[in-house]
Amino acid sequence: MRVRVGATTDVGVVREQNEDAYLVRAPIYAVADGMGGHQGGEVASRLALETLDRRSREDHEVDLRAAVKDANRVVLDRASGDTELAGMGTTLTLLRIEGPRVRLAHVGDSRAYLLRDGDLRQLTDDHTLVNKMVKEGKLTTSEARIHPHRSILTRALGVDGDVEVDVFTVDVDLGDRILLCSDGLTAIVSDEVIRGVLTSQGDPQAACDELVAMANRGGGPDNITVVVLDFAEGQEGEEEPSTPAAAETPAPTPPPERRRRRPSLRGLLLWILLPLIILVGGFLLARAYVNSQWFVGVHEGSVALYRGIPAEVLGFELFTLVERTDLPAAEAAALQPYQDLGEGITADSEEDARDVIEQIEEDLEPPIP
């Protein structure tokens, strides 16, 4: 069976740094979505994939669960030895091709999908707080998709000394297509739209590029990574790159010269005032957006409610303190769902932000004897 592969990773529209990473080295393919801010997420995802790559090259039949646990240890050890990387972690979704089947290992909320005969099926289970709430009947699938806590993970590499890994095998047929992706895609592009692209776009690299472009058109709030594998007729283990060499295109013909006209006074005024109008309008829009945002952060060692976004521009804080609670921030940040408390846990409304605080308070309460 021959495998055709496409892969793309993109920083997105909002983020300044790409903390995603992917591994494409037959027979191992993987996607990792780092977390931890600044350099932490980038280091975590890279370390995890480097560890897997090394283990798979040393032993082509390495036990995937053991390899993932080894990657978890490497990330955790690095974070423990560097204060600037403390709290970093990463998701991991990987597969190994084993003849007519693939074996998958999964931790976190990156995903693997199988497209077969036009039907798209999610193979992995999201290890998130909201997915747990869906399983418990506390949320519907639609509510989970827009829930402010949808990015809070219940499992990740580099967080605990031991990590639970989902490992399972899936049979593949000729014509099957498997998608590996980070949540930068699935948080923005629906499964139905993903199915449409994978069904209509025959080339795996072009399908990757189109999916990333769609996520960016939807706002691109996160890094986006996509790997697509096609299973076609051919010798077992044969891998074919999906992207052909680019065709040469003729140089564009320059337009004919036009006689320049002297600009009118009205035109000059327009060009002078237009940047000012754009600047003022942009400021008002940005101010309205900032005032509509909320997050939970830290103030003087306590959990606090803020209005705005947890950022600074030219030394100006884009947030204001609304309320300081009595909840100890250090104890809350020690719990995995709130490890990003110092950087701010964003919410879509004041009510959602207060729900986060209430949940922190419940989680900090000592168990009833």
Side-chain angles (χ1 to χ4, degrees):
M1 187 177 297
R2 184 183 60 185
V3 180
R4 301 181 68 229
V5 184
T8 301
T9 186
D10 191 87
V11 70
V13 175
V14 175
R15 300 289 180 89
E16 296 181 355
Q17 184 170 319
N18 193 346
E19 299 180 354
D20 282 6
Y22 67 82
L23 173 63
V24 174
R25 188 193 294 272
I28 297 289
Y29 305 87
V31 166
D33 180 357
M35 60 186 185
H38 304 296
Q39 294 184 352
E42 181 183 8
V43 172
S45 60
R46 176 175 54 81
L47 280 176
L49 295 187
E50 286 178 352
T51 304
L52 289 169
D53 187 28
R54 185 184 69 254
R55 289 290 304 274
S56 65
R57 283 187 281 113
E58 293 172 349
D59 180 3
H60 291 300
E61 297 183 0
V62 63
D63 179 81
L64 291 188
R65 180 177 279 105
V68 173
K69 288 180 177 289
D70 189 24
N72 176 69
R73 179 189 55 78
V74 170
V75 175
L76 186 62
D77 288 349
R78 179 66 180 276
S80 301
D82 190 335
T83 56
E84 293 185 358
L85 300 178
M88 74 175 181
T90 184
T91 70
L92 179 65
T93 301
L94 72 101
L95 69 80
R96 180 175 62 203
I97 299 175
E98 300 178 349
R101 63 186 60 85
V102 295
R103 189 159 179 81
L104 292 103
H106 169 68
V107 177
D109 64 349
S110 296
R111 291 180 179 178
Y113 289 87
L114 172 65
L115 179 75
R116 175 176 292 169
D117 299 328
D119 293 327
L120 186 68
R121 176 167 64 96
Q122 183 177 336
L123 299 175
T124 52
D125 192 31
D126 292 348
H127 301 144
T128 60
L129 182 62
V130 294
N131 192 42
K132 179 181 177 183
M133 296 170 71
V134 169
K135 290 183 175 180
E136 294 172 349
K138 298 178 180 179
L139 286 177
T140 66
T141 303
S142 299
E143 291 171 338
R145 185 173 178 79
I146 60 174
H147 198 280
H149 304 163
R150 60 186 177 274
S151 296
I152 296 179
L153 299 176
T154 56
R155 286 192 224 169
L157 268 65
V159 176
D160 296 312
D162 191 21
V163 62
E164 185 179 354
V165 187
D166 292 348
V167 179
F168 54 96
T169 301
V170 176
D171 292 332
V172 289
D173 297 332
L174 292 177
D176 282 354
R177 171 171 277 187
I178 289 182
L179 165 69
L180 306 178
C181 61
S182 62
D183 71 332
L185 173 70
T186 55
I188 301 300
V189 185
S190 69
D191 284 6
E192 184 57 30
V193 174
I194 291 173
R195 187 195 68 82
V197 172
L198 294 178
T199 302
S200 62
Q201 183 55 262
D203 180 74
Q205 185 60 50
C208 290
D209 295 340
E210 185 173 345
L211 288 171
V212 168
M214 295 186 75
N216 280 329
R217 285 198 295 269
D222 200 356
N223 309 144
I224 313 138
T225 300
V226 180
V227 176
V228 172
L229 299 94
D230 286 351
F231 295 84
E233 291 185 359
Q235 294 182 358
E236 182 176 349
E238 180 183 356
E239 181 179 344
E240 175 184 319
S242 68
T243 309
E248 294 184 0
T249 55
T253 304
E257 293 187 2
R258 295 184 178 180
R259 184 178 179 182
R260 295 182 178 179
R261 294 185 300 174
R262 179 179 296 177
S264 64
L265 178 61
R266 181 178 179 182
L268 287 173
L269 289 175
L270 178 61
W271 281 108
I272 292 173
L273 293 176
L274 185 59
L276 181 61
I277 294 171
I278 294 174
L279 183 63
V280 173
F283 172 78
L284 294 176
L285 287 174
R287 182 178 179 181
Y289 171 77
V290 169
N291 288 337
S292 68
Q293 302 301 300
W294 296 82
F295 71 93
V296 179
V298 179
H299 181 72
E300 296 181 351
S302 298
V303 176
L305 174 66
Y306 289 90
R307 184 170 189 169
I309 57 178
E312 292 185 6
V313 175
L314 300 178
F316 293 97
E317 295 178 341
L318 302 182
F319 55 86
T320 55
L321 176 66
V322 175
E323 180 181 331
R324 175 176 176 270
T325 72
D326 295 328
L327 302 173
E331 294 183 18
L335 301 177
Q336 194 278 330
Y338 314 114
Q339 62 179 8
D340 293 331
L341 184 65
E343 297 180 5
I345 300 175
T346 58
D348 293 335
S349 66
E350 179 181 4
E351 181 182 359
D352 290 338
R354 291 188 181 277
D355 286 345
V356 174
I357 294 176
E358 289 181 7
Q359 187 63 50
I360 292 175
E361 184 176 12
E362 291 181 11
D363 291 343
L364 290 179
E365 289 180 354
I368 299 174

